[in-house]
Amino acid sequence: MPFLAAAILSVSTLAVAQADDFVIASYGGSFGEALKTCHVPAFEKATGATVSVKLGNSSQTAAALRATKGNPDFDVAFLDDAFAVQTGNEGLNERLDRAKLSHAGDLIPGAWGKNDSYVVTMVTATVLIYDPKVVKTPPTSWLDLFDPHYAGKNVIADISNAAGWQFLLALNKIKGGTLDNIDPGVAAIRPLAQGSTVLYTQADQVVTLFERGEVAIAAWYPNNAAAAVSRGLSLAVAYPKEGAVGILATMVIPKGAKKRELAYRFIEQVLSPEGQKCFSERAMIGPANIKVQLSDKVAQIVPYGETLQDAWFVDPEIVARQMPLWTRRWQREVAR
């Protein structure tokens, strides 16, 4: 799940895209693995298309859309909602036709972007992830990351990753700041960032840090943590009492995409109850389709029920507008 922009896209691929491939821009990690399992095979079988996937975070994908304006390298893209707002405002997204999506009426409130420039497909969050072998008392607050006991054993994200700006805003809110004034958050996060093991840019970097025992607690994503647990890593999820910061993963059809009908078929697959159920159970990400019922195991990990109600979903229009300023301040005052 998870979320500033480099000028040039630099990502790995699951396959080398050919001219006749249907190309998807997607996050990597457990998200990318679930994509290959739950959506790609069903889509290929139904359409006869051959899929290639370009991996990258939202800032990289948004940068690629800008660099190839009107002639995109992919046919459909996953983006965090703040980035989908940015690309929509820049005229880089096609307006989606709800009539072509049979599950359009089954989605959570707020699932459609302004002028239908994107559609929400999944729900996750930035939360606290910790190693219960080291952290004996489960954390309950964002401020637990500052516990001197974990000095040098904590990790937070760079602002180019969703967890970075989301933790900054959560801390800013606790310290009395607002979305128009992040001075308290910047002042509070600076020493933590400078003492953090690394300011990660890709979610999977954190797996290696936990595997090596270099960190004990992180502001990270429950879906990535759950995937690591399934491979034997000792990790647990804690939702801060102040509320997790919600992440809405969206899909857009880039302006100028040449395979728009196939793009609609793929979005239809992603929004279907079967596709959503499969993806949520495998990637540990909450569904956007309200008809999906999760297993108890998944419901305890993803934003769902009470934890979903308590999550803070920052207005993506504000994030899109303020992100350049926040990024400059981060680079000037935090990351140096």
Side-chain angles (χ1 to χ4, degrees):
M1 200 334 195
F3 262 160
L4 170 69
I8 300 174
L9 181 66
S10 177
V11 297
S12 60
T13 59
L14 295 178
V16 177
Q18 303 298 319
D20 57 348
D21 286 349
F22 180 80
V23 184
I24 304 165
S26 171
Y27 317 110
S30 57
F31 190 103
E33 292 301 313
L35 180 73
K36 290 191 292 181
T37 299
C38 296
H39 298 316
V40 171
F43 172 75
E44 289 184 327
K45 182 178 179 180
T47 63
T50 300
V51 169
S52 293
V53 182
K54 289 191 172 185
L55 301 181
N57 61 31
S58 291
S59 64
Q60 292 169 326
T61 299
L65 286 173
R66 296 184 183 105
T68 60
K69 184 175 182 179
N71 187 30
D73 291 333
F74 32 80
D75 302 295
V76 71
F78 287 98
L79 287 169
D80 292 350
D81 58 346
F83 288 91
V85 167
Q86 287 181 350
T87 57
N89 289 343
E90 294 168 28
L92 300 175
N93 305 350
E94 291 279 357
R95 181 169 186 164
L96 298 176
D97 184 351
R98 299 193 196 192
K100 294 183 177 181
L101 299 168
S102 63
H103 307 292
D106 300 331
L107 305 181
I108 59 174
W112 295 91
K114 183 175 65 176
N115 298 322
D116 290 349
S117 62
Y118 65 80
V119 61
V120 171
T121 58
M122 296 141 207
V123 182
T124 186
T126 296
V127 299
L128 292 172
I129 308 296
Y130 65 100
D131 181 351
K133 293 181 180 179
V134 180
V135 181
K136 301 301 183 180
T137 302
T140 59
S141 168
W142 289 117
L143 297 179
D144 288 340
L145 277 166
F146 292 85
D147 189 326
H149 184 69
Y150 308 124
K153 301 284 284 185
N154 51 31
V155 66
I156 61 176
D158 181 75
I159 199 169
S160 63
N161 187 284
W165 64 261
Q166 292 195 330
F167 175 60
L168 171 63
L169 293 187
L171 187 58
N172 186 62
K173 188 176 182 181
I174 292 171
K175 297 297 184 178
T178 67
L179 294 178
D180 293 320
N181 175 24
I182 63 167
D183 291 350
V186 170
I189 205 172
R190 187 183 299 116
L192 185 67
Q194 293 175 350
S196 183
T197 302
V198 66
L199 297 177
Y200 68 87
T201 57
Q202 300 290 340
D204 285 352
Q205 291 175 260
V206 184
V207 176
T208 302
L209 295 173
F210 273 115
E211 286 176 337
R212 294 175 179 171
E214 296 180 21
V215 299
I217 188 169
W220 198 33
Y221 309 119
N223 54 298
N224 293 84
V229 168
S230 70
R231 298 194 295 268
L233 205 56
S234 171
L235 295 176
V237 177
Y239 279 77
K241 64 185 179 182
E242 301 92 353
V245 185
I247 301 171
L248 297 174
T250 78
M251 292 193 76
V252 306
I253 298 177
K255 181 79 74 173
K258 298 175 179 60
K259 300 173 183 174
R260 279 173 287 185
E261 292 309 312
L262 280 177
Y264 278 106
R265 293 284 296 276
F266 187 75
I267 296 174
E268 177 80 354
Q269 162 61 34
V270 170
L271 296 179
S272 69
E274 300 80 12
Q276 293 260 300
K277 172 79 171 178
C278 175
F279 200 96
S280 290
E281 297 287 337
R282 286 183 175 272
M284 297 292 177
I285 293 179
N289 189 319
I290 61 176
K291 293 186 176 180
V292 176
Q293 294 294 313
L294 298 180
S295 66
D296 290 341
K297 175 184 176 181
V298 177
Q300 292 174 3
I301 295 173
V302 306
Y304 190 74
E306 185 176 346
T307 55
L308 178 60
Q309 293 174 5
D310 292 343
W312 180 29
F313 289 91
V314 187
D315 186 335
E317 292 282 350
I318 296 177
V319 175
R321 184 173 66 250
Q322 297 283 64
M323 184 63 74
L325 172 62
W326 296 342
T327 300
R328 287 194 295 271
R329 292 202 58 184
W330 179 279
Q331 293 170 341
R332 185 174 61 247
E333 301 175 46
V334 178
R336 64 178 183 177

